[in-house]
Amino acid sequence: MIIVAVAVIVVVAAFISLITQSPSPDARPVSLGFSLNSLFQWLGSLNPLVQIPLILLIFGVVVGVILVLIEYAPRAGKGYFYLRLAACFVIPALAFMLLRPYQNSFIFILLIAILLGGVLFLVDYRSRQGAGYLFQLIIFTAPAAILLLTGLIYPTIATLYQSFFDKTSKNFVGLENYIWVFTNPEGFWSVINTIIWVLIAPVFATVIGLAYAALVDRSRGEKFLKVLVFMPYAISFVGAGIIWKFVYDFRQGEQIGLLNAIVTGLGGQPVSWLDAQPLLNTLLLLVVFIWSQTAFAMVILSSAIKAVPAEQLEAASLDGTTAWQSFINVTVPGIRSSLIVVLTTIAIAALKVYDIVAVMTGGRANTTVLGFEMVNQQQRFQSYGHSAALAVVLFLFVLPLIIYNARQIKKQREIR
Amino acid sequence: MSTVTTPVPPVTPVPAIDPRSKRQVARETLRNEKQAQRRLTSRGATIVAILIAILWTIPTFGLFVTSFRPGADSNTTGWWTVFVNPGFTLNNYFDALNAGGTSLTLGASFINSLAIAIPATLIPIAVASLVAYAFAWIDFKAKNTLFILVFALQIVPIQMALVPLLSLFSRGLTINGVGIFPGFELRDADHSFATVWIAHSIFALPLAIFLLHNFISEIPGDVIEAARVDGAGHGQIFFRIVLPLATPAIASFAIFQFLWVWNDLLVATIFAPSSSLPITQTLNSLSGTWGNQWYLQSAGTFIAIIVPLIVFFALQRFFVRGLLAGATKG
């Protein structure tokens, strides 16, 4: 126990001295002659089609090593003892070295790696469940844990932090970025439009999907009809955006866009739909989203409708209810949980939408949304503070849904 | 035929079987089923459903027709006039495939999309199935809390993670002004997909872990226990028992993930170097330069969505299964 405590203290000390040493601008990366970087560079110089099997092979070897370690580690015996010992020291050191640490930090990094490996080995050796238990648990979860920590958890916190800093992320500006979000026209419209998206899209997609699922349930050629409505779900938002841009096409002279052809056919004037303000163009973008998400709602709700017990429907029809009444009073309550799932899933998708706006309008004419404007600020204006603040506002919109879903899943797991 | 003359002894108790022949029963069942079917299906519902289906298909169909019409036709007349004034060509597709300048044509970015999507489908599945197994079959502290955390992560908008992750890739890790790790130097590589693979894998993990865990934890405990008694460790159990049993779930998720990556625009926009852009991104930028040349836009779009459509039609059952598994998360 004392050894572990001492080791941990040394690790912390090494880390602190690592980050408080005087920065040296011309430090060079240290590598063992091979590194992740050189692997990726070598892969990148090959033909894309050759890269596919190669990366899968390399990755497969890594997974194979992991599985072998998991299999042999918990066994008792001298050989297995040394296997664990070696793995505990070699793997962290190798992993850190593959990232090519800078010269000035390299010695600290190596120290931290070896100490952490040693701590793991000791704790594992004295583990109550037997030596090797903790070792295999960590090897099982380490790849995912490292990826999630570096790729989702750390960046989320960094974005939160960045949203209080200016463009260059050096000077603290307090809430200025957030004030910008709600006062600048782009920021303001992105908030308003996102609210419109999240309020309208889930309701329409779910209602249409439910209606279609119910109709198709009572009509012939069910499978074929379902496929037709389901198909848009496989099409990318980029593809869907272009498909609908063609429907909305506007030009002088003869109209080749379906919508304007109908309007002129009825004797009206053609309209430049995607520039039509206020809000009409946003609603037309919503149509594309609803068109695609209805498919999702339809598939989920259709299977839910089929799972409603036939006896309940029979009982209702014996009581003399009409089809509509039994639908409202028997079917809809029977599929309540599926309805909630569909609504929340589509709401989350609507909050995050990026592609449709990027493809169809590029955020012009007040059609921008949070998910799009965030990327726009980062790519076009290199304005990281604004971009981060927009992302955080988006996160705040999603937060209630995250909490709701997490609660549901907790309940489910408690029942089990 | 001889039933009439067979003498039935009146004394023996007759067992309660339906006296009618099997064929009669079958015929009657069929008739009842048909009747029920007729009662259940209604003509009104069929008509409305067909109308909605047509409404849903027309936009795609219109662009599909346009992709086969000569440019001169489709730029002056609506696609619906093709029925009175037919004229078809495949040239649009050849033109679209070679469009996009010297560096990256639409055809080349089609290949890029494959090179991105296949590894970015398989890598997260392998990583996620490992951790899903640990969540399902190894006991450890704070398991439930961690699982809920992973589940919650799947809803966090990836917009939150994009910029810091990008700077981690390109500039490396620097704390308090001290450089610790440099970033990847992949600018000069011809076709580097590494950052896109890693980003897609990370963003796919929470959902993959959740779905695969749900499936792997349903495997009967007896099976795992029996293998353990036979001397198999977690490595063998995972590879020999759990993976084969989980294949249907893995296939469903793989199809999902493949389509998601293939159709993605956002992650590629942020992470892909300019020579490694996937087809969605190239199509999007070409769409701007093509402007009103709808014969090119339409052909380009169908080149981009042909793979998802093939996957969709060929593997629809798996696809629906995956969708349902993901959606019943409650």
Side-chain angles (χ1 to χ4, degrees):
Chain A
M1 224 41 231
I2 293 168
I3 305 173
V4 171
V6 169
V8 170
I9 290 169
V10 178
V11 166
V12 172
F15 184 71
I16 290 173
S17 53
L18 167 63
I19 61 171
T20 50
Q21 59 174 318
S22 58
S24 81
D26 45 69
R28 302 175 138 270
V30 180
S31 104
L32 301 170
F34 57 91
S35 65
L36 267 186
N37 189 54
S38 57
L39 169 69
F40 288 153
Q41 274 179 347
W42 172 69
L43 269 179
S45 66
L46 300 172
N47 183 303
L49 287 179
V50 183
Q51 291 188 40
I52 303 175
L54 274 177
I55 184 71
L56 291 179
L57 187 73
I58 294 167
F59 183 72
V61 169
V62 172
V63 173
V65 169
I66 288 180
L67 284 179
V68 167
L69 281 176
I70 288 171
E71 176 66 23
Y72 289 122
R75 301 192 179 176
K78 225 172 194 176
Y80 301 116
F81 173 85
Y82 286 118
L83 174 78
R84 277 202 304 277
L85 189 65
C88 278
F89 287 114
V90 171
I91 293 177
L94 196 65
F96 278 125
M97 285 314 287
L98 280 180
L99 293 171
R100 301 181 304 148
Y102 281 113
Q103 250 166 9
N104 53 341
S105 32
F106 141 75
I107 224 53
F108 298 101
I109 294 279
L110 212 58
L111 183 69
I112 291 176
I114 287 173
L115 279 173
L116 282 181
V119 169
L120 167 63
F121 178 78
L122 259 182
V123 173
D124 173 53
Y125 188 67
R126 297 164 163 267
S127 154
R128 211 174 300 152
Q129 284 91 344
Y133 162 81
L134 207 62
F135 181 85
Q136 63 184 8
L137 182 64
I138 285 185
I139 293 203
F140 256 125
T141 48
I146 291 168
L147 284 176
L148 287 179
L149 278 172
T150 53
L152 274 175
I153 295 173
Y154 155 74
T156 302
I157 296 166
T159 300
L160 259 175
Y161 177 82
Q162 234 169 39
S163 69
F164 297 104
F165 286 78
D166 71 346
K167 249 180 131 139
T168 55
S169 11
K170 288 222 173 75
N171 307 313
F172 183 76
V173 293
L175 288 175
E176 211 166 90
N177 291 322
Y178 291 94
I179 295 170
W180 176 90
V181 167
F182 290 99
T183 51
N184 178 284
E186 265 114 49
F188 173 76
W189 276 108
S190 64
V191 173
I192 295 289
N193 285 334
T194 300
I195 293 173
I196 294 173
W197 276 77
V198 75
L199 288 183
I200 295 182
V203 174
F204 272 77
T206 309
V207 168
I208 300 173
L210 176 62
Y212 193 74
L215 284 171
V216 141
D217 197 41
R218 296 163 54 84
S219 64
R220 292 178 190 202
E222 180 179 348
K223 270 197 182 145
F224 178 70
L225 287 173
K226 265 167 132 177
V227 166
L228 284 184
V229 171
F230 192 25
M231 194 181 61
Y233 197 66
I235 297 175
S236 59
F237 280 146
V238 179
I242 296 178
I243 287 172
W244 280 87
K245 224 156 97 180
F246 187 50
V247 173
Y248 298 149
D249 184 80
F250 162 77
R251 54 184 62 208
Q252 306 298 328
E254 181 155 3
Q255 301 299 324
I256 66 167
L258 186 62
L259 194 56
N260 271 327
I262 292 172
V263 167
T264 50
L266 294 173
Q269 286 297 315
V271 182
S272 174
W273 294 108
L274 292 176
D275 297 313
Q277 294 186 47
L279 294 187
L280 181 59
N281 47 9
T282 293
L283 293 179
L284 290 173
L285 297 191
L286 264 165
V287 168
V288 183
F289 184 75
I290 292 169
W291 177 72
S292 136
Q293 295 299 306
T294 298
F296 169 75
M298 185 267 292
V299 168
I300 305 287
L301 296 176
S302 174
S303 85
I305 286 177
K306 295 209 185 304
V308 172
E311 297 85 49
Q312 288 186 11
L313 289 168
E314 248 161 51
S317 81
L318 283 180
D319 286 349
T321 56
T322 63
W324 172 249
Q325 278 171 335
S326 79
F327 177 72
I328 289 295
N329 294 324
V330 180
T331 310
V332 170
I335 60 172
R336 191 170 157 272
S337 64
S338 297
L339 276 174
I340 292 173
V341 168
V342 168
L343 277 170
T344 52
T345 309
I346 299 179
I348 292 166
L351 283 169
K352 294 182 188 174
V353 78
Y354 163 80
D355 321 37
I356 292 182
V357 176
V359 172
M360 293 188 74
T361 64
R364 272 183 297 108
N366 297 338
T367 52
T368 185
V369 291
L370 284 171
F372 173 80
E373 195 56 36
M374 179 256 148
V375 178
N376 202 26
Q377 290 296 325
Q378 186 254 328
Q379 295 236 307
R380 283 210 4 234
F381 308 111
Q382 269 83 46
S383 185
Y384 294 112
H386 293 163
S387 168
L390 286 162
V392 173
V393 173
L394 176 61
F395 178 72
L396 291 179
F397 277 137
V398 183
L399 197 59
L401 292 168
I402 298 178
I403 294 170
Y404 174 79
N405 272 340
R407 275 203 178 153
Q408 291 294 314
I409 200 76
K410 202 172 165 199
K411 249 188 241 164
Q412 252 180 39
R413 282 176 77 79
E414 272 161 11
I415 291 167
R416 250 193 232 162
Chain B
M1 40 183 171
S2 62
T3 38
V4 187
T5 51
T6 314
V8 180
V11 203
T12 42
V14 184
I17 331 169
D18 202 325
R20 295 167 301 170
S21 76
K22 253 190 187 159
R23 201 186 295 165
Q24 243 175 334
V25 174
R27 207 181 300 142
E28 210 147 287
T29 319
L30 197 68
R31 199 188 307 142
N32 285 340
E33 266 175 7
K34 266 197 180 153
Q35 216 166 22
Q37 186 94 41
R38 215 173 302 141
R39 213 180 303 149
L40 279 174
T41 65
S42 89
R43 191 164 296 160
T46 312
I47 291 171
V48 178
I50 289 176
L51 281 179
I52 295 179
I54 291 175
L55 197 67
W56 242 245
T57 319
I58 276 184
T60 320
F61 181 70
L63 201 72
F64 186 64
V65 170
T66 307
S67 73
F68 291 105
R69 296 181 73 204
D73 286 9
S74 61
N75 264 347
T76 49
T77 54
W79 57 266
W80 48 91
T81 56
V82 82
F83 298 112
V84 290
N85 178 24
F88 296 102
T89 172
L90 277 176
N91 283 340
N92 300 342
Y93 281 89
F94 297 116
D95 291 348
L97 269 177
N98 295 318
T102 48
S103 60
L104 190 67
T105 60
L106 199 67
S109 61
F110 185 91
I111 305 285
N112 283 350
S113 269
L114 277 180
I116 290 173
I118 294 173
T121 303
L122 296 176
I123 292 173
I125 286 177
V127 175
S129 55
L130 280 173
V131 85
Y133 176 86
F135 268 126
W137 294 109
I138 303 182
D139 270 322
F140 53 94
K141 269 185 206 161
K143 189 159 103 167
N144 271 345
T145 317
L146 281 177
F147 187 75
I148 289 167
L149 178 75
V150 168
F151 174 77
L153 275 181
Q154 104 190 27
I155 312 170
V156 172
I158 58 173
Q159 275 94 345
M160 278 298 272
L162 294 178
V163 179
L165 189 58
L166 177 68
S167 84
L168 206 58
F169 282 150
S170 59
R171 274 181 265 159
L173 183 63
T174 306
I175 302 179
N176 200 17
V178 179
I180 296 175
F181 296 114
F184 293 130
E185 286 147 16
L186 302 171
R187 280 277 166 75
D188 304 325
D190 287 339
H191 296 282
S192 180
F193 302 105
T195 48
V196 197
W197 288 332
I198 299 174
H200 270 305
S201 301
I202 290 171
F203 297 146
L205 270 183
L207 181 65
I209 294 172
F210 179 73
L211 286 183
L212 294 180
H213 165 267
N214 280 358
F215 196 87
I216 289 175
S217 63
E218 300 281 302
I219 293 171
D222 303 349
V223 179
I224 310 274
E225 205 46 53
R228 202 168 293 160
V229 169
D230 287 346
H234 281 304
Q236 275 198 50
I237 295 176
F238 176 79
F239 192 72
R240 296 240 176 107
I241 295 177
V242 169
L243 272 193
L245 283 175
T247 309
I250 290 176
S252 305
F253 179 75
I255 293 166
F256 233 74
Q257 170 69 6
F258 179 82
L259 286 189
W260 197 82
V261 174
W262 184 279
N263 286 341
D264 157 80
L265 178 67
L266 179 56
V267 175
T269 304
I270 303 275
F271 292 103
S274 57
S275 58
S276 315
L277 291 172
I279 193 159
T280 43
Q281 174 67 41
T282 314
L283 181 65
N284 184 24
S285 54
L286 280 177
S287 171
T289 52
W290 281 336
N292 276 332
Q293 293 167 293
W294 278 104
Y295 63 102
L296 287 177
Q297 289 223 39
S298 55
T301 307
F302 274 91
I303 292 169
I305 64 179
I306 188 72
V307 170
L309 285 182
I310 289 172
V311 170
F312 171 76
F313 282 115
L315 303 168
Q316 210 188 118
R317 252 183 2 165
F318 282 103
F319 188 68
V320 170
R321 206 184 293 158
L323 199 63
L324 292 175
T328 45
K329 61 192 177 194

